[in-house]
Amino acid sequence: MAFKLSLPFYLSKTMKLLSTMQTLFGRRARANESTETTAQLQTQVQDLLASAQYDAAEKLCRLILQKDERSFKAYNSLGFALQLMGRTSEAMQAYQSARTLNPDYWQAAYNVGNLYKLTGQLDAALSPFYDAMVMRRKVQANDPQADPQDKGISQSKLLHDIEQLTYLISQGKIDSNILDAKAALEEILQYMKQHSAKVVMELPPSLSAKCAKWFNRFLNYRDAPALAGGALNSDIDWAAVEDAYFANAPGMTYIDNFLKPEALTSLRRFCLESTFWFDYQYFGEYVGCTIEDGFVCPLLLQIAEEQKAAMPRIFGDHRIHGMWGYKYDSERTGISIHADFAAINVNFWLAPDDANLDPDSGGLVIWDKEAPLNWEFDDYNNNTEKIAAFLQETGAKTFVVPHRQNRAALFNSDLFHKTDNFRFKPGYENRRINVTMLFGDRRAS
């Protein structure tokens, strides 16, 4: 998958360290001597952050706060600068100050959750991530604005959302928002089918407001609490799993009946009923959700922690740092060949076995060659031509894990892998669903 590095939200590009002092003095003079507004100074802060001038950004934020002590955006930017300089305790204080001053500022809640996650406190990240998702994706009745990340409307995404809302109605989840959203999305989908053959398109102004109100909005959430008796199948010989992992160098195996039945049922309902599948602009037209945008619940955290306890030889001190879910149409392409920025990768599947029309496929293909440590992220995560050439040159062999419900593929995350070809029955409850968990740093594996 195209892995999302967990930087604070509004940082969208790789930043390189530049000289700070000359710029700092210029900013400082303008802040003290001119009549620039707080908003103008805040724009300058963003420029400094984007050019990796963190020390200068910190000082300008503090000057802004001298002018306006209630500037929640300045506190949020201050937290960002401090975090990127490694001063995490001070960064958390700044983010929390931003949240206190403006509880509706979702960016600050997101950054609090992200900082908890980066410091290994994933349980503490759950609540602020959820708060940020609700604020960011709530239904806006008056003057709705599309989320900046929702550039263009996808037919496959609309089809998924309509199917999901229809499913919720069949399960008795009937309220005005769900009914109105379904009607609006059906109208938008019909327009797309009639006016464009494009997979993704922009809507005319006559439909854009309606779309902004209902498209990619948070309408329903099904919680999945931790289970008192544990989530992993207690009948599994976990030591034997570890032996199999290390026997298949450089580390790969799979586990059947991975979760207890009650855990599988709860997690499947979490994925079927929660309307958090906000990511959709993928080549394979599947939909997804990350831990940062709602794909987190107590049960998922419990599964992550129990794996570490059950297989200490594999996981060691590696902490979970990435988690997401993907949901696929019945016949689409999946994720192309790549490696992930992690030490250990766990993928498991939730769709029922009778949904899979080809039991010999539908899962994961793993190659027995690791991504070179000197490759850049875009090389091993996105450059399929370079990867294919490397695998051919090294004589890599494949390890195929067919899809089964409640089967988990466990492997060294440096290994190249991809979604296998799949063909599933049509229908919402038959959609292929996979959960991915990433542990540790590939450089420390």
Side-chain angles (χ1 to χ4, degrees):
M1 72 91 59
F3 176 68
K4 298 182 177 179
L5 291 175
S6 298
L7 293 174
F9 176 78
Y10 46 77
L11 184 63
S12 62
K13 58 184 179 181
T14 302
M15 298 180 293
K16 298 180 181 179
L17 188 59
L18 301 173
S19 173
T20 65
M21 296 311 296
Q22 183 176 1
T23 303
L24 166 61
F25 293 142
R27 302 294 188 207
R28 189 164 185 166
R30 284 194 293 274
N32 287 329
E33 298 171 7
S34 77
T35 58
E36 286 179 300
T37 66
T38 298
Q40 289 171 324
L41 294 173
Q42 185 64 36
T43 299
Q44 295 174 17
V45 170
Q46 302 309 308
D47 292 341
L48 291 169
L49 291 170
S51 59
Q53 298 183 72
Y54 310 136
D55 183 65
E58 176 196 355
K59 290 177 172 61
L60 185 54
C61 285
R62 295 193 187 280
L63 288 171
I64 293 172
L65 290 167
Q66 289 178 13
K67 295 163 65 76
D68 179 7
E69 63 182 11
R70 298 192 60 79
S71 175
F72 58 90
K73 290 186 178 180
Y75 271 113
N76 194 53
S77 297
L78 175 61
F80 187 6
L82 293 168
Q83 178 179 334
L84 292 174
M85 290 189 289
R87 293 154 61 184
T88 55
S89 296
E90 295 173 81
M92 182 63 77
Q93 291 175 3
Y95 290 145
Q96 296 288 17
S97 294
R99 292 197 73 185
T100 299
L101 289 169
N102 187 351
D104 294 327
Y105 189 54
W106 70 262
Q107 291 90 334
Y110 175 97
N111 287 339
V112 168
N114 190 50
L115 189 52
Y116 275 134
K117 180 175 79 76
L118 292 174
T119 54
Q121 303 174 75
L122 204 53
D123 54 343
L126 191 154
S127 179
F129 273 150
Y130 178 85
D131 292 344
M133 183 263 293
V134 172
M135 288 187 282
R136 180 183 178 190
R137 298 291 184 175
K138 65 184 178 183
V139 174
Q140 301 180 57
N142 299 316
D143 191 27
Q145 298 293 318
D147 190 281
Q149 286 197 323
D150 298 339
K151 298 176 181 178
I153 307 302
S154 161
Q155 288 195 34
S156 59
K157 163 67 172 167
L158 286 170
L159 282 168
H160 167 271
D161 289 0
I162 292 167
E163 283 187 6
Q164 184 175 40
L165 295 174
T166 302
Y167 172 79
L168 290 173
I169 292 169
S170 74
Q171 299 297 305
K173 304 284 186 181
I174 303 173
D175 63 36
S176 59
N177 277 348
I178 289 177
L179 294 172
D180 291 348
K182 179 174 179 290
L185 296 182
E186 287 173 338
E187 179 183 349
I188 294 165
L189 178 61
Q190 189 63 29
Y191 176 90
M192 291 185 69
K193 289 181 175 179
Q194 292 176 352
H195 291 85
S196 176
K198 295 180 179 179
V199 174
V200 178
M201 66 173 288
E202 293 187 10
L203 294 176
S206 60
L207 284 177
S208 59
K210 180 177 291 187
C211 178
K213 180 177 180 179
W214 296 115
F215 180 70
N216 245 3
R217 296 300 179 185
F218 180 65
L219 300 168
N220 190 70
Y221 183 78
R222 172 78 185 200
D223 193 18
L227 300 177
L232 298 188
N233 184 351
S234 56
D235 292 333
I236 292 174
D237 183 344
W238 294 105
V241 172
E242 290 180 302
D243 291 340
Y245 176 90
F246 291 112
N248 289 312
M252 63 184 95
T253 190
Y254 64 86
I255 309 162
D256 282 329
N257 301 310
F258 178 57
L259 304 175
K260 290 182 177 179
E262 55 269 35
L264 174 66
T265 298
S266 179
L267 193 56
R268 182 164 160 76
R269 294 192 67 176
F270 172 75
C271 292
L272 289 174
E273 298 183 24
S274 299
T275 59
F276 49 36
W277 301 95
F278 302 125
D279 295 339
Y280 61 93
Q281 296 191 25
Y282 301 110
F283 179 77
E285 298 181 49
Y286 46 90
V287 295
C289 186
T290 64
I291 185 175
E292 294 87 353
D293 210 8
F295 195 76
V296 62
C297 60
L299 180 56
L300 282 169
L301 300 185
Q302 181 180 23
I303 292 168
E305 289 304 311
E306 288 186 10
Q307 287 179 87
K308 292 187 62 178
M311 296 175 282
R313 284 189 286 154
I314 294 175
F315 288 93
D317 295 329
H318 294 310
R319 299 186 304 195
I320 185 167
H321 69 78
M323 183 158 56
W324 54 79
Y326 287 134
K327 200 187 293 184
Y328 301 78
D329 204 344
S330 57
E331 292 187 21
R332 301 275 185 185
T333 57
I335 302 168
S336 60
I337 187 169
H338 67 287
D340 288 307
F341 190 80
I344 309 296
N345 192 313
V346 180
N347 269 251
F348 57 97
W349 301 297
L350 305 181
D353 288 341
D354 61 7
N356 184 7
L357 296 175
D358 184 0
D360 293 329
S361 67
L364 201 64
V365 180
I366 307 168
W367 281 261
D368 63 353
K369 298 298 180 182
E370 298 174 280
L373 285 176
N374 62 350
W375 281 22
E376 298 293 333
F377 175 77
D378 281 342
D379 289 331
Y380 65 78
N381 193 252
N382 295 309
N383 193 334
T384 54
E385 291 184 6
K386 183 173 183 176
I387 295 168
F390 170 78
L391 293 176
Q392 183 174 14
E393 292 169 2
T394 56
K397 298 179 181 179
T398 58
F399 179 75
V400 179
V401 184
H403 179 281
R404 295 289 186 276
Q405 185 181 47
N406 206 16
R407 170 176 282 177
L410 171 65
F411 58 98
N412 175 342
S413 197
D414 255 346
L415 297 176
F416 289 108
H417 56 283
K418 72 167 187 175
T419 305
D420 199 0
N421 297 328
F422 62 90
R423 188 164 58 92
F424 278 50
K425 292 179 182 177
Y428 182 66
E429 294 181 75
N430 294 319
R431 283 178 175 260
R432 181 185 186 272
I433 303 174
N434 84 273
V435 177
T436 297
M437 295 180 173
L438 298 184
F439 297 80
D441 186 330
R442 71 186 293 258
R443 296 165 299 189
S445 61

